[in-house]
Amino acid sequence: MLKKALAGVGLVFALSAGPVAAEDVTITVLEVNDINQQYWQQMGDNFAAEHPGVKVDVQYLENEAFKAKLPTLLQSDDRPDIIYSWAGGVMEAQIEAGYIKDISDARADLEKTIYEGPLNAYRVNGKQYGIPVELSLVSFYYNKALVEKAGVDMSSIKTWEEFLAAVKQMKDAGVTPIIMAGGEKWPMHFYYSYLLMRVGGPDVLNNAKAGKDGGFTNEAFVEAGQLLKDLTDLDAYQAGWLSLMFPASTGVFGDGKGALDLMGNWLLGGQAANAADGKGLSMDEIGLASFPTVADGMGDGTQTFGGVQGFLVTADAPPEAVEFIKFMSTPEQQKIAAEAGAYVPAVKGTDQYLSNPLLKQVAQTLAASTWHQNFLDQDLGPSVGRVVNDMSVAVAAGEVTPEEAAQAIQDAWDQR
Amino acid sequence: MAETTVLARAHTTDARGSLITALIFLPPALAVFTVFVILPIGEAAWYGFFNWNGLRVPENFVGFSNFIQLFGNKAFDRAVINNILIIVISLGVQLPLALAMAVLLAERMVGAVAFRMLFFLPYILADVAAGLIWRFMFDGDYGLLSQISQFFGGDPIYLLSDRTWAYSAVLIVIVWKYFGFHMMLYIAGLQSINRDLYEAAAIDGANAWQRFRFITIPGLSPMIRLSVFFSILGSLQFFDMIVALTGGGPLNTTHTMVSFLYYFGITRMRVGFGSAVGVVLFIICIVVAFGYKRIFMKDD
């Protein structure tokens, strides 16, 4: 603690002394995944080797703690130089409040290495504010053995109708079709979001935000809710789905107690760790399938839903922090993460280093994606996003009608 | 004569001394109290009139909009009912149970101390830990409740997924965790009742029920009023266990007012709205606490 305080004092002096004192700078990073420690260590060392006197200090905060603490941290003198971000509405609020540095000058360099789509997720009003680092893809992970037992071929399923038929087939075969962590709500919003994308197409959210065609009460939102309700009506989820929490749900998948899980690629680690035997399913027992399309929908099957997590530089961070961000986004550094199987990097040419075949498939799907939609509970900001989560579960459970759900989202948007 | 002078002098030094003492010792405490208690209360009341995400200073003044939204919110209405249910269950189940156990265990019988310990233990446990343990007990796949049901040939029970009954799980855990504390209050109260009264009543021919009704209950009444007071305040502050046990789910049916404040104000970055909830909660607390003290505890 004292050491950190001293480092902070050192930083203040370094800044006030101007560019002469470029040595002994500590860049503080606040991150949410402490499983990536080795990667950070190695990357920090590499950076220090090129920039003598610059130290990278990485702190970790668990997801929810991070979100709860960050607003206070940003307003304090203890503000980290680089912070984790999911882009979207929360980032926009931080930018609007003036806590985030405009790094548009670095854009030209960043464009060379980072995929353009994800990079644009960190662009607001034509200015660049951060970099995407890890991409995640939400898609159907399935237990090959269980699907086969029910006589279903996941790769042949193209439409929602076919998907519903497959769910019925699994039920008839005595297989639990879908694992749903309804207790945390956001897993259900994956279904609602994908259906919305398939029904409404790429402009659906921008139109809703702009208040066009009825805003969030547009027909596409209502239809997405109805289609989701159709799935629940088949009794597709495991018993007690309304209270199952996410970590336990990955264990259910790992134990082979359900066939499908519409989840992000982080499921692969969780299902092993939380399985009863501590091993879960091996990678060749798991298949990956895209979300089906909807008849007469405006969206197509190559459009993807998932995350574009990355980092932002805060307002008073030293210039070295921007250097570090650029350094992070080089293929040489992201190769470390890819090889460790930590995540799918947003940096071009790194997918060849992914050793996990499923992650490789994720990377290829993302590379072919024409539209990658960020999680709605990030994109729409924390207040509207959580209402989307609430409403996804409420519609699925038959607590509200699809029309009421769409109206509730619109109300939340208006009260934002 | 000399004696009175000395006394008088002692008196003035005393008064001056206590004034100086007050001047030295009061400001720090007062400052701390003002900065950490009075100011935040005032600030929260102020924020309640803004649509504010917690960053920078609030600017978007919305009048009573936050309060209007609050009273139309289904989850908040349910939270208020849930708070009232805690009080009802405390008075209807927990208090009689604690009183009965206290009367039994206040006697010097074999194992009384062990039982007291046993019943008091859950109270020592942190709310979060209790919530997690019971979450596991109520689990439909692996939990004890389901196992028992299946042992008798029934279906597995997914209590925490049931919109109608999930909150009863919370109430069960509340009684389990807190009745031991109230039992201890009553045991302490019982020990301060004069034993001679019982002896005298017995000689006068009073039966066990009459002794309980006319000696124990009146003798315990200050403790009972205190215990009810703790139950009501405990209900108004109830939070941690909800987070660990149900997270407010399923479908926001198991929130209390405080967990509602956290989930709908803080995690959604709606600090203005959350402050409005806080203001309503504060007013309810003040009215209940002072009202109760004034009406039921004025003699204590």
Side-chain angles (χ1 to χ4, degrees):
Chain A
M1 197 63 222
L2 180 65
K3 209 170 151 194
K4 200 184 155 221
L6 286 176
V9 172
L11 181 64
V12 171
F13 279 117
L15 281 176
S16 55
V20 193
E23 56 207 36
D24 292 341
V25 173
T26 301
I27 303 170
T28 49
V29 181
L30 194 63
E31 142 85 312
V32 297
N33 297 313
D34 68 346
I35 49 165
N36 299 342
Q37 282 187 28
Q38 218 177 347
Y39 144 74
W40 278 107
Q41 182 67 42
Q42 206 173 336
M43 194 162 61
D45 290 349
N46 292 351
F47 188 68
E50 281 184 28
H51 301 78
V54 181
K55 187 172 163 275
V56 180
D57 178 24
V58 184
Q59 307 266 335
Y60 304 93
L61 268 183
E62 184 274 330
N63 237 320
E64 291 301 310
F66 176 89
K67 288 176 190 167
K69 245 182 132 173
L70 193 62
T72 318
L73 263 179
L74 283 176
Q75 305 184 58
S76 76
D77 297 335
D78 214 12
R79 187 187 304 157
D81 299 320
I82 297 173
I83 56 169
Y84 193 82
S85 175
W86 289 266
V90 178
M91 173 185 76
E92 281 162 28
Q94 291 160 350
I95 291 169
E96 202 180 314
Y99 293 122
I100 308 299
K101 203 188 198 88
D102 176 0
I103 58 165
S104 300
D105 292 346
R107 166 97 191 182
D109 284 339
L110 297 172
E111 268 174 0
K112 286 179 206 150
T113 59
I114 302 177
Y115 291 116
E116 195 184 346
L119 188 58
N120 285 343
Y122 286 83
R123 184 179 219 182
V124 178
N125 298 329
K127 291 179 186 161
Q128 192 69 32
Y129 285 97
I131 57 158
V133 168
E134 62 179 285
L135 299 177
S136 53
L137 170 71
V138 172
S139 46
F140 278 114
Y141 288 85
Y142 60 91
N143 183 324
K144 285 181 182 167
L146 288 180
V147 167
E148 205 170 295
K149 185 183 159 197
V152 169
D153 176 15
M154 283 302 289
S155 60
S156 73
I157 294 174
K158 295 286 173 251
T159 67
W160 186 246
E161 287 71 26
E162 287 166 11
F163 176 73
L164 293 182
V167 165
K168 266 185 239 164
Q169 209 173 321
M170 287 186 234
K171 286 227 55 124
D172 292 342
V175 171
T176 301
I178 292 173
I179 297 165
M180 170 54 65
E184 299 203 11
K185 297 177 185 157
W186 54 263
M188 188 61 95
H189 118 282
F190 289 174
Y191 282 88
Y192 188 64
S193 307
Y194 251 131
L195 285 166
L196 181 66
M197 288 171 67
R198 297 295 191 246
V199 172
D203 295 324
V204 68
L205 278 167
N206 289 334
N207 285 347
K209 288 180 196 170
K212 283 188 213 155
D213 305 330
F216 290 90
T217 57
N218 180 281
E219 188 53 38
F221 286 83
V222 178
E223 196 186 334
Q226 189 53 53
L227 293 171
L228 177 53
K229 182 74 174 50
D230 292 345
L231 176 63
T232 314
D233 286 345
L234 297 178
D235 197 12
Y237 322 123
Q238 86 285 355
W241 63 275
L242 268 172
S243 66
L244 188 68
M245 290 298 179
F246 170 68
S249 79
T250 63
V252 176
F253 187 80
D255 290 342
K257 289 188 175 172
L260 307 174
D261 200 343
L262 182 64
M263 198 35 75
N265 38 273
W266 57 85
L267 171 68
L268 296 174
Q271 62 91 21
N274 293 314
D277 61 2
K279 288 191 210 120
L281 303 174
S282 68
M283 291 303 138
D284 54 358
E285 291 174 296
I286 302 173
L288 187 64
S290 297
F291 196 87
T293 55
V294 166
D296 303 325
M298 314 264 282
D300 70 57
T302 63
Q303 294 161 346
T304 52
F305 179 72
V308 270
Q309 291 98 299
F311 291 91
L312 307 172
V313 182
T314 58
D316 306 322
E320 285 81 358
V322 181
E323 285 304 310
F324 182 64
I325 284 252
K326 283 197 227 165
F327 182 79
M328 267 175 85
S329 55
T330 55
E332 296 77 46
Q333 301 311 315
Q334 289 309 312
K335 184 183 154 199
I336 307 171
E339 279 174 348
Y343 53 76
V344 177
V347 169
K348 296 172 197 165
T350 48
D351 48 341
Q352 54 178 314
Y353 303 114
L354 289 165
S355 50
N356 183 326
L358 287 166
L359 280 187
K360 207 161 201 158
Q361 200 181 337
V362 166
Q364 283 158 359
T365 311
L366 285 170
S369 169
T370 49
W371 168 36
H372 186 62
Q373 171 62 44
N374 194 0
F375 302 122
L376 289 197
D377 56 0
Q378 296 299 333
D379 186 16
L380 299 177
S383 65
V384 183
R386 299 241 179 184
V387 172
V388 172
N389 292 352
D390 278 348
M391 286 305 133
S392 302
V393 178
V395 163
E399 189 78 9
V400 300
T401 64
E403 288 81 6
E404 286 166 347
Q407 187 61 50
I409 297 169
Q410 180 66 48
D411 290 348
W413 181 258
D414 294 339
Q415 289 163 3
R416 196 167 40 111
Chain B
M1 185 67 193
E3 208 183 343
T4 43
T5 328
V6 171
L7 268 179
R9 194 179 297 148
H11 226 81
T12 41
T13 14
D14 231 38
R16 194 179 301 146
S18 59
L19 183 69
I20 292 170
T21 312
L23 282 177
I24 292 173
F25 286 96
L26 213 50
L30 216 55
V32 167
F33 188 73
T34 312
V35 170
F36 291 105
V37 179
I38 304 290
L39 274 183
I41 291 174
E43 277 188 329
W46 176 242
Y47 296 153
F49 293 99
F50 289 85
N51 187 353
W52 183 44
N53 61 14
L55 297 172
R56 296 280 170 198
V57 285
E59 277 163 356
N60 186 5
F61 185 83
V62 292
F64 282 94
S65 157
N66 285 332
F67 294 91
I68 293 166
Q69 278 175 41
L70 179 60
F71 290 113
N73 191 311
K74 254 175 85 183
F76 184 74
D77 294 347
R78 183 66 211 246
V80 174
I81 293 172
N82 286 345
N83 272 117
I84 294 171
L85 277 176
I86 296 182
I87 296 172
V88 169
I89 220 77
S90 297
L91 301 189
V93 176
Q94 181 175 275
L95 195 150
L97 183 68
L99 188 58
M101 285 298 162
V103 171
L104 278 176
L105 297 179
E107 305 296 329
R108 289 186 202 288
M109 64 179 211
V110 184
V113 177
F115 274 108
R116 280 186 213 173
M117 273 297 293
L118 203 63
F119 291 143
F120 190 66
L121 269 179
Y123 179 71
I124 301 171
L125 207 62
D127 269 18
V128 173
L132 289 174
I133 292 169
W134 280 88
R135 187 177 174 81
F136 196 69
M137 302 265 268
F138 289 132
D139 185 281
D141 295 318
Y142 308 100
L144 187 67
L145 186 70
S146 250
Q147 302 287 341
I148 293 173
S149 154
Q150 279 166 301
F151 181 80
F152 291 106
D155 289 328
I157 299 170
Y158 293 90
L159 190 59
L160 295 178
S161 298
D162 192 309
R163 276 168 260 179
T164 319
W165 293 103
Y167 194 67
S168 63
V170 176
L171 294 175
I172 290 170
V173 183
I174 288 177
V175 172
W176 171 81
K177 188 165 188 306
Y178 289 99
F179 97 90
F181 169 72
H182 294 273
M183 180 194 76
M184 280 303 193
L185 284 183
Y186 295 141
I187 288 177
L190 284 174
Q191 280 163 354
S192 68
I193 297 176
N194 190 344
R195 309 304 300 175
D196 297 347
L197 290 174
Y198 289 102
E199 205 178 314
I203 291 168
D204 287 343
N207 62 27
W209 166 251
Q210 285 168 324
R211 283 186 305 238
F212 177 74
R213 170 69 190 80
F214 294 105
I215 301 174
T216 309
I217 294 285
L220 271 184
S221 74
M223 254 339 163
I224 293 175
R225 288 196 296 263
L226 186 70
S227 145
V228 172
F229 186 64
F230 278 141
S231 292
I232 294 172
L233 284 194
S235 152
L236 289 172
Q237 298 170 349
F238 200 65
F239 170 68
D240 332 24
M241 196 192 289
I242 298 285
V243 175
L245 186 60
T246 68
L251 296 159
N252 298 321
T253 51
T254 60
H255 281 295
T256 57
M257 281 189 277
V258 185
S259 75
F260 178 87
L261 191 165
Y262 178 75
Y263 281 102
F264 285 76
I266 296 174
T267 67
R268 294 176 191 216
M269 281 178 80
R270 297 188 70 200
V271 178
F273 182 69
S275 299
V277 182
V279 169
V280 172
L281 193 63
F282 178 73
I283 292 170
I284 293 175
C285 282
I286 290 284
V287 169
V288 168
F290 281 96
Y292 188 84
K293 278 201 99 156
R294 180 149 284 213
I295 297 166
F296 294 105
M297 293 173 76
K298 57 173 185 270
D299 305 328
D300 298 341

